[in-house]
Structure formats: C-alpha cells, structure tokens
Amino acid sequence: MVELIWDGKYDKDGKRVAPLRVSLPFQTVETVNESAQQRQRSLEFMLAGRDPGWRNRLIWGDKKYVLPSLLPEFAGKVDLIYIDPPFATGQDFSFQAQVGDERFTKEASIIEMKAYRDMWGGKSSLSQYLGWFYETAVFLHELLSETGSLYVHLDATVSHYAKTILDSIFDIDKLRNEIIWCYTGPSNTKKWFPRKHDIIFWYAKSENWIFNRDDVRTPYKLGRNIGGKSSLAISSNRSIESRQERMDELVEKGGKIIEDFWTDIGAGSHIPRKELTGYPTQKPEALLERIIRASSNEGDLVLDCFCGSGTTPAVAEKLKRRWIACDLGRFAVHTARKRLLAIENVRPFVVQNLGKYERQHWQRAEFGTAAQLTYRKFILDLYRAQPVAGYTWLHGAKGGRMVHVGAVDSPVAQGDVRSIAIEFQHAIGTG
C-alpha cells in the first residue's frame, strides 16, 4: 500500500512522531451577556462545590495547544465537529479596530505570525500542511463521541490528500458522504473552467451515527423531460397513481432528502446581507444549519476549532446546541464575539485563552534552553531591527529608534518603561 509521507512524520530513528500533547489550563478573560443574578447563582454553586452549569466557550489560541487542552474534559463528548481549515489563504491575523474617532490596524501577535509562517512558509508548505492537518484530525477523532460526526470543508487543492489522512484515522468505511457544495458567482478565468464548488467530507466515529434526515428535507420540485412534459406523467417503472402517492408523501413530509451535491445554498456575494461580517472566508448560515440539523440534536455539543467569522457557533446557538468555538486569529475571535452578541437572547458564554502558559510553552518548544535570548533575536529579525549589545533594557535599533523586547509571558510594566528610559538616557549621554 502506498503511504503518504510529510516532513516530520518520522524522527531520525524512523519512529512515528506523535502529536504534541500538552494540557494547559484555560483562563476566562470575560463572561459575556451574564446577568448579575446569573453571576451570583454561579458563584454560590461554585462555593457549594456544585456544578455552576454549562457555559458556551469562545477560545482564542492555536489549535496545537487548544485541542489537547480540551481532551481532559471533553474526550469522547463532542457530538459534532465542523472545520473549515485554511490552506495558503494569505491571512495575516491582523484586524481593524475603532477607538473614538480613529481607526487603526491591530497587528498579529507573535504566536499568530510564527504559527502562520511555520504552516505555509517555504517550498515544503504542502508537506507542512499535511503534518499539521494530521495532528488536528487525531485530536478531533478523540474528542468525538461514539455517535459523533466530523465534517471537513476543503477545496480541490488538498482534498485528496486530506481524505487519505482521514481514512487512516477514521477508517475508510467511516466515510458517510463526500458532499459537493456548488455555488455560482462572477469569474474571469480564461484558461480553465470557473472553480465553483467546495468539498465536504463527512466521517462518523462509529457505525451508530446521528442523521436526522427529516430535518434537512428540501422543497420537492416537479421535474420535466426533454419534451417539456411533466415527468410525473411519464414513467416506465411506476403507474401515474403510485407516482402521485409518492408526491403526496413528499409534500406531507415537507420535501425530499437532499442529495450529496448541494446547489441551493449560495456563497460569497450571495450570502444574505444581514449575515455579512467582512470576514474574507465567511460561510453562509444555511450551510451550517443543514449540517448541524442533520448530525446533531438540541442540547448536543458542537465544536469548530477554525471558527473564523463565527458562523458555526452562531447557528449552533440559534438551534439550541451547546458549542465550543476556537480560532488562532484575534480578528476571528473579535468578529465571532460581536456576531454572537447580535443574536437575540443569546445565552451567556465565556471568552477564554491559554494565557501565559501557551506563550511559555511555545517559547520553550521553539527556542529550547536559551529561550529568552533566542526569542529576542527572533523578534528583532521578525521586525527587521538590528540587534545591539552592551545594554540590559535596549535590545535593538530600527529607523533611528531603540527597541526593547518584552518577555513572552507578561506585558511591559511601568517599572520596565522607567528602566528603559533611564538606560536610553545613559546611552544618549555616551553618544
């Protein structure tokens, strides 16, 4: 059998490299839309040693750390996972913010930049992507319940590679459907047919999966043959009466079962205006509504670890599912939070991250024992600043200005600024 190989799949001794498993504690940054009464009730429950109740979760962080950190609490408990993982999208993880009358761009964090550069940088970006995707799929398989389903949304660029990886983790017989999502829109291609479809792989964890077929019926339309006559009146296999009975049954149930090619849900400019967030890869709510209705029930837990503009948690909220949504990008979390708050009677949810623990672990993993010095050099290189020696608080220079690199796990404090200023004064004094 042919094996799919990517950089880092085996170590130098030929042993298979397992995904990084580090469980870090989540830090709640904010509890959103919780009333004073709800907050007091939750506090009383915690003080009494009782479960304060479920809170939906919006998490900012790298899935490399977020997914293994979810495992201790949620392994085998997630009912539905939908992911729309990026592939060479050019996303830079910055976002626009409004403060008073001024608008500015919030640049990406260091972890965001480094994670993106590692994933897509260099000539071996496909190989890097496959290793990255494999690690993701392993954790998602462990998080799924025995009746759970995974939907993976891709385009033709990597879908065939991803399917091979998913087959190896789930087994090939766990593929329930390869769904083709077709859409239309303007195209100026001249050397090939316009590319107007995505691929969604649906895998089940076991042979006992959820499929609510009556919840995803579509309106039944009477077809016509080449001669223009109703196809109802012409049948070589059935009588007109039996066809009519079938029609009556379809009408009574609310429509027919949708096939595995979906042509009735628009994308891009066809997304309803009221849904638009300005996020570049946003998916329509109708697409997620079909998936969530088909493969989960009210109260079930839905996970999306590449939530982008927040379509998955928004639809899960409206359909009375519990949800966990994660993303590496600040802009994504900012957009999703705002979108969720626009939902009428949205249930309280928490915004979380892995705080300084993620940054500390990332620094050690990336830069080893001399982490602080190597990290400092990495930051200076990233911002194209020249390193300077002989100082404690001044680490580089760029454009005629001195540069200080703060610690990875804490903000620059007032005392740090004072020390920087004093050292800078001394530096000016010596020319």
Side-chain angles (χ1 to χ4, degrees):
M1 179 180 288
V2 177
E3 181 184 5
L4 192 61
I5 301 293
W6 53 83
D7 292 342
K9 185 174 184 178
Y10 296 98
D11 64 16
K12 59 183 177 60
D13 299 319
K15 294 181 179 180
R16 183 70 175 267
V17 177
L20 174 70
R21 290 178 181 272
V22 52
S23 180
L24 303 174
F26 288 101
Q27 298 183 356
T28 297
V29 178
E30 178 186 17
T31 301
V32 182
N33 208 41
E34 185 177 53
S35 68
Q37 288 180 327
Q38 290 170 319
R39 192 175 299 112
Q40 181 62 33
R41 180 175 173 273
S42 297
L43 179 61
E44 291 172 355
F45 273 41
M46 284 190 292
L47 293 175
R50 298 169 60 189
D51 184 358
W54 172 260
R55 286 287 183 271
N56 292 319
R57 301 164 77 162
L58 178 60
I59 304 170
W60 174 40
D62 188 342
K63 64 87 194 165
K64 179 178 182 179
Y65 302 107
V66 170
L67 293 181
S69 298
L70 288 172
L71 281 173
E73 185 176 356
F74 295 105
K77 296 181 180 179
V78 180
D79 301 291
L80 172 62
I81 299 173
Y82 167 87
I83 61 169
D84 179 17
F87 181 76
T89 60
Q91 183 179 356
D92 64 2
F93 299 110
S94 63
F95 70 93
Q96 297 290 320
Q98 190 81 28
V99 177
D101 296 329
E102 295 191 27
R103 189 170 182 82
F104 68 96
T105 300
K106 175 65 183 74
E107 297 296 340
S109 73
I110 296 304
I111 293 180
E112 290 168 344
M113 288 190 225
K114 182 68 166 60
Y116 186 79
R117 190 177 75 174
D118 285 352
M119 198 188 313
W120 312 125
K123 297 180 180 179
S124 60
S125 60
L126 176 59
S127 180
Q128 291 170 318
Y129 178 85
L130 296 179
W132 174 88
F133 182 83
Y134 169 78
E135 292 184 354
T136 304
V138 166
F139 290 133
L140 296 181
H141 183 266
E142 293 182 30
L143 286 165
L144 273 180
S145 69
E146 284 303 302
T147 59
S149 291
L150 169 67
Y151 286 78
V152 181
H153 190 144
L154 301 160
D155 64 19
T157 311
V158 293
S159 59
H160 44 300
Y161 296 108
K163 185 180 183 300
T164 302
I165 292 173
L166 292 168
D167 285 343
S168 70
I169 295 170
F170 281 78
D171 291 334
I172 194 169
D173 63 340
K174 297 301 189 301
L175 176 68
R176 300 278 68 86
N177 278 112
E178 178 184 20
I179 298 164
I180 307 301
W181 176 39
C182 305
Y183 45 84
T184 60
S187 177
N188 59 358
T189 59
K190 296 180 180 179
K191 295 187 177 181
W192 54 78
F193 298 110
R195 295 163 181 165
K196 295 298 177 182
H197 80 275
D198 286 357
I199 298 159
I200 304 173
F201 293 121
W202 169 25
Y203 282 80
K205 178 75 172 282
S206 71
E207 297 301 323
N208 185 25
W209 65 91
I210 296 171
F211 182 52
N212 302 314
R213 62 182 227 151
D214 288 340
D215 290 347
V216 289
R217 292 181 179 272
T218 57
Y220 185 84
K221 295 180 180 179
L222 196 64
R224 294 189 178 276
N225 64 12
I226 295 176
K229 296 183 179 180
S230 167
S231 60
L232 175 64
I234 301 174
S235 174
S236 60
N237 299 321
R238 300 184 184 184
S239 67
I240 293 177
E241 291 78 9
S242 64
R243 292 294 298 271
Q244 185 60 55
E245 289 173 2
R246 178 62 179 151
M247 281 278 293
D248 293 341
E249 180 186 354
L250 290 170
V251 171
E252 181 181 349
K253 289 186 176 181
K256 68 170 185 174
I257 300 297
I258 188 67
E259 292 90 353
D260 61 359
F261 56 95
W262 298 353
T263 61
D264 58 334
I265 298 173
S269 60
H270 297 285
I271 296 177
R273 182 180 295 274
K274 63 181 180 180
E275 294 180 23
L276 292 176
T277 63
Y279 199 85
T281 57
Q282 182 177 347
K283 300 300 183 290
E285 291 191 6
L287 181 68
L288 271 299
E289 181 177 350
R290 177 168 293 166
I291 291 170
I292 292 173
R293 284 189 184 278
S295 293
S296 70
N297 299 312
E298 285 192 11
D300 281 355
L301 180 56
V302 178
L303 168 67
D304 184 347
C305 57
F306 305 97
C307 73
S309 65
T311 302
T312 300
V315 175
E317 176 69 26
K318 293 174 183 178
L319 295 179
K320 299 181 181 178
R321 272 65 167 174
R322 296 175 298 140
W323 53 265
I324 299 173
C326 325
D327 206 283
L328 173 62
R330 290 175 185 258
F331 180 40
V333 173
H334 171 81
T335 303
R337 179 188 179 280
K338 181 179 178 181
R339 183 174 184 176
L340 288 161
L341 282 174
I343 298 174
E344 187 175 359
N345 299 320
V346 63
R347 292 167 294 177
F349 63 93
V350 295
V351 179
Q352 297 180 314
N353 61 31
L354 296 170
K356 64 180 182 180
Y357 303 106
E358 179 180 9
R359 296 188 291 273
Q360 289 171 347
H361 193 280
W362 171 81
Q363 186 185 54
R364 289 195 300 270
E366 292 294 335
F367 306 115
T369 54
Q372 183 57 34
L373 291 176
T374 313
Y375 167 74
R376 190 175 293 163
K377 181 179 183 304
F378 164 72
I379 297 298
L380 293 172
D381 289 345
L382 197 64
Y383 286 96
R384 297 182 176 86
Q386 297 299 316
V388 297
Y391 300 100
T392 302
W393 296 91
L394 304 176
H395 305 134
K398 180 181 179 181
R401 298 187 179 190
M402 304 303 293
V403 176
H404 168 80
V405 179
V408 72
D409 58 352
S410 61
V412 177
Q414 185 175 359
D416 297 335
V417 175
R418 188 178 298 111
S419 298
I420 293 167
I422 291 172
E423 190 165 62
F424 180 69
Q425 284 184 320
H426 290 165
I428 293 295
T430 60

